[in-house]
Amino acid sequence: MIRPFQKRTKSSFSDRIGGLRRWLDTDSGRLLVDYEKSLLERELGTIFGFHAGQYSASWHKDLMFSSPVRRQFILGSSHLADCPRPQVMADPHYWPVLPGSLDLVLLQHTLEIVDSPHRLLSEAANTIIPDGKLIIIGFNPYSMTSIARWCVPAQRRLLRDAHFISPSRLKDWLALLNFNVERIVYGGYVQPLKRFFTGLRGDLIEQRLEQLQLPVGGFYMMIATRETPGLTPVRKVWSDVRRRFVGQPLTRPSAGRTSSVKVNKDWSSFESDS
C-alpha cells in the first residue's frame, strides 16, 4: 500500500521549483547537472523512437540533445524563456498528451517538489507506449548531499520543503504502474566535497566511484521499461486420440492376405474369413 505524503503548506509549487532552479544555476548545481548529463548521454544513445517528452528542473540544459528521438517537447507549468525545444504549458498533474503516444519520458528532479508525486508519476507513465522508456533522475536520500542538507538549520536549509524519494520506494511505485526497472545508476559522489576535490583530481575520483556504483551518490538515475500487457493463450481442446484396439477390426492389408482379421477382447483367438 502506498503511504501518501503529508500535504505541504510551507511553500507553493512555484516557490519550490523556482528555488531549485536558482540553486541549479550555482556552481554546485551546475556541477551536479554536468554529472547527470554525462550519465544520461550514455543511456540515450540506446533508446530509439519517434516522440519524447521532458519535464525537468534544468530544462534550459536540453538534457536530451544527444537522443536519436528528434520529435521532443518540454513540459512546463509556465512559459519558459529561451526554451530549446517546443514547449507545452500545463499542470504537471494533468498532462495534455495522448495516452500511449511517447517512446521516452524524462523526469529530472521534479518528483521531489510537486504536490503529488504519485499523480505526476502516473501521468508520465500513462503517456508511454508498451516497451517505452521512463528515465527518472532524483536526489538520493542516502548520500553525503542529503546528510549535509540536514546538518544545516531549517531556515537556511537547501530545498527544505522538498521530499527526497528513495530508489527502493520509487521502484515499488513503478511496479504498480506495470514498469520494470532495468537498472539504477548512481553519480555525483564528490559534489558535496567539491572544495577538496577540484579539477582533474575530482573528475578521476568521480569516475572511479561511478565504476564501483556504491548506492551513496548524490543522485540516482533510474531506467524503467513499460511492460507489454500479457495475453492469455487459448488452448484448443484436442480430442482423445487414444483408441482402444480391443474388439475393433484391424485394417485390411493392402497386399498379401486378402482376409479380414478380427481380434477378440481377450486376445486369445483370431477369427479369419477366407
Side-chain angles (χ1 to χ4, degrees):
M1 181 178 180
I2 296 178
R3 178 167 55 87
F5 284 102
Q6 296 180 356
K7 185 177 180 181
R8 298 185 178 96
T9 57
K10 295 182 179 180
S11 61
S12 63
F13 169 70
S14 59
D15 294 336
R16 291 193 297 272
I17 194 171
L20 176 59
R21 287 174 175 171
R22 286 191 296 270
W23 180 81
L24 291 176
D25 287 335
T26 62
D27 294 338
S28 300
R30 284 193 293 266
L31 181 63
L32 182 68
V33 174
D34 290 340
Y35 289 147
E36 295 173 352
K37 193 174 181 179
S38 63
L39 294 181
L40 185 60
E41 289 178 352
R42 304 175 191 175
E43 301 294 335
L44 292 178
T46 60
I47 301 176
F48 301 92
F50 298 96
H51 302 90
Q54 173 184 338
Y55 183 53
S56 63
S58 302
W59 53 267
H60 58 283
K61 291 290 185 179
D62 197 9
L63 300 177
M64 294 197 298
F65 175 77
S66 60
S67 173
V69 183
R70 292 306 175 188
R71 296 179 180 177
Q72 304 179 15
F73 71 91
I74 294 178
L75 183 81
S77 56
S78 60
H79 178 71
L80 305 175
D82 300 330
C83 187
R85 300 283 182 180
Q87 56 180 309
V88 176
M89 290 182 292
D91 191 317
H93 301 135
Y94 301 94
W95 288 31
V97 181
L98 185 68
S101 60
L102 300 181
D103 301 274
L104 171 63
V105 172
L106 171 64
L107 300 179
Q108 184 235 11
H109 298 310
T110 50
L111 292 175
E112 302 96 325
I113 57 176
V114 294
D115 295 325
S116 177
H118 307 130
R119 179 67 184 182
L120 172 59
L121 188 62
S122 178
E123 285 291 303
N126 191 39
T127 63
I128 300 177
I129 65 173
D131 294 330
K133 303 293 183 180
L134 174 63
I135 300 179
I136 301 174
I137 300 177
F139 291 109
N140 185 11
Y142 310 117
S143 64
M144 293 295 298
T145 303
S146 182
I147 296 175
R149 173 172 169 260
W150 287 105
C151 292
V152 178
Q155 295 78 10
R156 301 172 52 191
R157 184 177 304 163
L158 174 65
L159 303 176
R160 58 182 179 181
D161 295 333
H163 190 99
F164 291 2
I165 305 173
S166 65
S168 59
R169 190 177 186 186
L170 185 57
K171 189 176 180 179
D172 293 338
W173 294 358
L174 291 173
L176 296 177
L177 296 172
N178 200 28
F179 273 79
N180 178 37
V181 177
E182 295 183 359
R183 56 190 169 277
I184 303 175
V185 184
Y186 295 90
Y189 292 93
V190 302
Q191 191 271 337
L193 304 175
K194 66 180 184 63
R195 296 181 180 178
F196 306 98
F197 306 104
T198 58
L200 181 60
R201 181 184 179 187
D203 295 338
L204 293 176
I205 295 176
E206 179 70 22
Q207 293 177 4
R208 179 55 178 170
L209 292 175
E210 286 181 4
Q211 294 175 357
L212 297 175
Q213 276 301 295
L214 301 176
V216 292
F219 70 92
Y220 60 86
M221 182 172 62
M222 185 175 295
I223 299 94
T225 304
R226 185 172 187 177
E227 297 180 346
T228 304
L231 301 177
T232 303
V234 179
R235 297 183 177 180
K236 183 178 180 180
V237 180
W238 296 93
S239 60
D240 189 6
V241 297
R242 294 176 299 178
R243 298 179 181 273
R244 295 181 301 174
F245 289 97
V246 179
Q248 299 293 331
L250 298 178
T251 305
R252 184 180 181 89
S254 59
R257 294 179 299 171
T258 59
S259 60
S260 61
V261 180
K262 292 184 179 180
V263 183
N264 291 333
K265 293 183 179 181
D266 56 358
W267 292 80
S268 60
S269 62
F270 293 85
E271 293 180 1
S272 175
D273 294 335
S274 299

